[in-house]
């Protein structure tokens, strides 16, 4: 069993590397063959995998949060866990942006190289307004929330149902059992779908890498280096620190065991699609309590996006530098605040972080067209930041779960 599990991780990583190699090779040496292989091979393989896991997201969030809330039993405990989770999410996101802006100011990627701003363009379209997201958190129609896959609304509804199940006890035992069995079915399906992960990862990465314009990467190299360095730094310092000091576990053990979920996030660029996998991995391999994982990870996949905030922090400084605009201290604080809010409002799907960047730029009167500069290379960075996004949720889940275990031991 153990051999089988570690071999799946290895297979996923091989799929990821092969996808990257094939994508780069086709892009460089057979650019004419790429569109055919992509339409008939890579995209279908990737799509089948991504659709299969996305299919599980809404039922898993609904069932597991109902069970998680009912499993916690007492609303006070729910309040305590909810509070610690949200404080952790907000604090770590703020730390992420501070790391990002500091690195961008020190390395100053926007002042090195020639950037042509005469014809860049970007239309922000309809970036969701954060206050709307917060106000809409209570669903008017639960079925609409489910069909639209509106995560925050589903979370609220599931918490309410969970509380009712706890209060009604024996009377609603039938429904409780039904939800529990539904959850079992979904978790079983996650394990099944994960068997396809190595192939899905291969297809998704081959498409993403093969369709890149590598020419654009040269000009944007330093910007990309700063974003990736900030992602790695935040991962090591903030999450490493969380695992080591708060959860009292070994960070290397954490990364090794959580790697399959990180690879799936990397290839799908979607926290939301990765959710079933990241929950299963946290429970099975990191030993996170089911009731905590049910609650912390879906919430995190929706509102906690440190990787996205890092890209936004670096991008804001970069765009200011390219346009020769000096940001004041007050403006930098505004960026921190708006990027934390943007992280809450960003949906866990590919590319939304870039749309929310428009809001951050507008808050300090920077030109939104500047996004046009980083548009071409954002797909690759999206992969890396999504990996970090879900890692933050897992680090938080592990910390809260270990803290609860200690409390239980002390009570026993
Ligand atoms: N793709 C990211 C995620 O799903 C969001 C973003 O930064 O665009 O976590």
């Amino acid at each position: 069993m153990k051999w089988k599990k570690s071999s799946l991780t290895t297979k996923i990583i091989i799929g990821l590397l092969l996808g990257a190699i094939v994508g780069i090779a086709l892009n460089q040496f057979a650019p004419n063959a790429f569109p055919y292989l992509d339409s008939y091979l890579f995209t279908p393989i990737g799509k089948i995998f991504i659709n299969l896991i996305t299919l599980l997201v809404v039922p898993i969030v609904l069932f597991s949060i109902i069970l998680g809330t009912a499993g916690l039993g007492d609303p006070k405990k729910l309040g305590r866990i909810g509070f610690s989770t949200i404080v952790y999410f907000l604090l770590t996101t703020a730390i992420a942006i501070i790391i990002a802006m500091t690195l961008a100011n020190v390395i100053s990627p926007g002042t090195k190289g020639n950037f042509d701003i005469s014809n860049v363009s970007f239309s922000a379209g309809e970036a969701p307004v954060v206050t709307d997201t917060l106000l809409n958190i209570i669903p008017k129609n639960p079925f609409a929330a489910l069909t639209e896959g509106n995560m925050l609304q589903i979370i609220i509804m599931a918490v309410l149902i969970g509380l009712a199940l706890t209060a009604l006890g024996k009377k609603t035992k039938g429904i409780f059992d039904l939800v529990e069995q539904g959850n079992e079915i979904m978790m079983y399906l996650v394990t099944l779908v994960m068997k396809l992960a190595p192939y899905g990862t291969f297809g998704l990465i081959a498409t993403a890498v093969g369709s890149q314009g590598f020419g654009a990467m040269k000009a944007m190299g330093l910007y990309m280096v700063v974003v990736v360095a900030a992602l790695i730094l935040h991962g090591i310092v903030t999450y490493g620190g969380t695992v080591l000091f708060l959860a009292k576990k070994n960070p290397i053990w954490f990364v090794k065991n959580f790697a399959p979920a990180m690879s799936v996030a990397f290839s799908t660029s979607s926290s939301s699609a990765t959710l079933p996998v990241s929950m299963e991995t946290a429970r099975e391999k990191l030993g996170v309590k089911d009731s905590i994982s049910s609650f912390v990870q879906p919430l995190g996949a929706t509102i906690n996006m440190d990787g996205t905030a890092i890209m936004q922090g670096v991008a804001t400084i970069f765009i200011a530098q390219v346009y020769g605009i000096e940001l004041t201290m007050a403006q930098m604080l505004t960026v921190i605040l708006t990027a934390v809010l943007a992280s809450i409002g960003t949906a866990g799907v590919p590319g939304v972080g870039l749309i929310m960047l428009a809001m951050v730029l507008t808050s300090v009167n920077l030109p939104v067209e500047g996004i046009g500069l980083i548009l071409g290379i954002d797909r690759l960075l999206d992969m890396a930041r999504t990996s970090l996004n879900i890692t933050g949720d897992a680090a938080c889940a592990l910390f809260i779960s270990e803290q609860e275990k200690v409390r239980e031991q002390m009570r026993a």
Side-chain angles (χ1 to χ4, degrees):
M1 193 65 197
K2 210 170 174 198
W3 178 83
K4 261 194 178 165
K5 272 193 181 161
S6 62
S7 109
L8 179 64
T9 311
T10 317
K11 279 187 199 160
I12 295 176
I13 295 183
I14 293 175
L16 203 144
L17 292 177
L18 271 183
I21 294 170
V22 170
I24 293 178
L26 286 173
N27 186 295
Q28 297 296 309
F29 306 116
N32 294 335
F34 175 75
Y36 296 103
L37 282 168
D38 186 33
S39 325
Y40 295 108
L41 190 66
F42 307 144
T43 297
I45 300 178
K47 248 214 133 50
I48 289 174
F49 173 65
I50 216 170
N51 286 358
L52 278 171
I53 42 174
T54 309
L55 158 83
L56 306 174
V57 174
V58 167
I60 283 189
V61 172
L62 179 70
F63 293 153
S64 68
I65 295 193
I66 293 178
L67 288 178
T69 314
L72 292 176
D74 119 50
K76 251 199 223 143
K77 199 167 165 187
L78 179 68
R80 184 179 67 230
I81 291 172
F83 182 76
S84 320
T85 304
I86 290 172
V87 169
Y88 180 91
F89 285 165
L90 294 179
L91 271 183
T92 49
T93 308
I95 295 173
I97 311 166
I98 294 169
I99 292 180
M101 297 203 335
T102 311
L103 270 190
N105 272 317
V106 172
I107 303 179
S108 193
T111 57
K112 295 171 186 131
N114 288 321
F115 302 100
D116 180 11
I117 49 173
S118 55
N119 53 13
V120 288
S121 67
F122 181 80
S123 139
E126 284 177 24
V129 181
V130 177
T131 43
D132 282 353
T133 314
L134 293 178
L135 285 177
N136 285 337
I137 193 168
I138 300 169
K140 279 195 216 134
N141 177 345
F143 299 103
L146 290 173
T147 47
E148 284 162 13
N150 185 324
M151 284 311 155
L152 285 178
Q153 293 191 345
I154 299 174
I155 291 173
I156 292 289
M157 181 170 83
V159 167
L160 291 176
I161 298 176
L163 288 174
L165 285 180
T166 316
L168 295 170
K170 264 199 200 132
K171 252 196 212 164
T172 49
K173 184 162 182 319
I175 302 276
F176 182 87
D177 289 346
L178 183 81
V179 175
E180 197 162 50
Q181 288 162 14
N183 199 45
E184 293 278 336
I185 295 175
M186 291 303 143
M187 284 303 178
Y188 173 78
L189 290 178
V190 174
T191 324
L192 212 62
V193 173
M194 272 305 276
K195 295 203 166 50
L196 295 179
Y199 311 99
T201 313
F202 168 80
L204 289 164
I205 299 279
T207 300
V209 174
S211 53
Q212 282 307 307
F214 284 99
M217 267 176 79
K218 265 191 214 136
M220 297 301 295
L222 200 54
Y223 164 79
M224 294 178 81
V225 168
V226 178
V227 173
V228 173
L231 292 175
I232 295 175
L233 203 63
H234 187 63
I236 295 177
V237 175
T238 314
Y239 303 152
T242 303
V243 172
L244 189 63
F245 300 114
L246 300 178
K248 312 240 175 340
K249 297 273 182 189
N250 183 342
I252 299 186
W253 160 87
F254 174 82
V255 173
K256 256 193 188 158
N257 282 287
F258 198 61
M262 288 162 81
S263 324
V264 171
F266 190 81
S267 56
T268 59
S269 287
S270 167
S271 308
S272 185
T274 313
L275 187 58
V277 180
S278 51
M279 285 171 74
E280 209 233 14
T281 314
R283 290 168 181 202
E284 299 298 320
K285 295 198 157 187
L286 302 177
V288 173
K289 283 163 72 84
D290 286 7
S291 59
I292 305 290
S293 139
S294 305
F295 191 69
V296 174
Q297 288 180 286
L299 190 65
T302 319
I303 68 165
N304 182 43
M305 312 237 169
D306 295 1
T308 303
I310 284 176
M311 176 278 286
Q312 291 169 344
V314 177
T316 307
I317 302 290
F318 173 77
I319 291 171
Q321 287 166 348
V322 171
Y323 281 84
I325 301 167
E326 190 94 30
L327 291 178
T328 62
M329 204 58 197
Q331 281 177 313
M332 299 226 199
L333 287 175
T334 311
V335 171
I336 297 177
L337 193 72
T338 32
V340 171
L341 289 175
S343 155
I344 298 175
T346 306
V349 286
V352 185
L354 206 63
I355 297 173
M356 296 303 277
L357 174 61
M359 179 184 118
V360 181
L361 293 176
T362 315
S363 74
V364 284
N365 294 322
L366 283 173
V368 172
E369 314 82 80
I371 296 179
L373 286 168
I374 54 178
L375 203 60
I377 43 87
D378 193 64
R379 179 70 184 87
L380 292 176
L381 292 177
D382 197 4
M383 308 193 320
R385 68 176 180 255
T386 307
S387 261
L388 192 85
N389 284 347
I390 64 142
T391 306
D393 308 335
C396 177
L398 181 69
F399 152 51
I400 308 252
S401 168
E402 292 303 313
Q403 200 181 38
E404 284 304 308
K405 282 182 193 163
V406 172
R407 264 177 200 271
E408 276 160 23
Q409 270 166 8
M410 270 172 21
R411 224 173 288 134

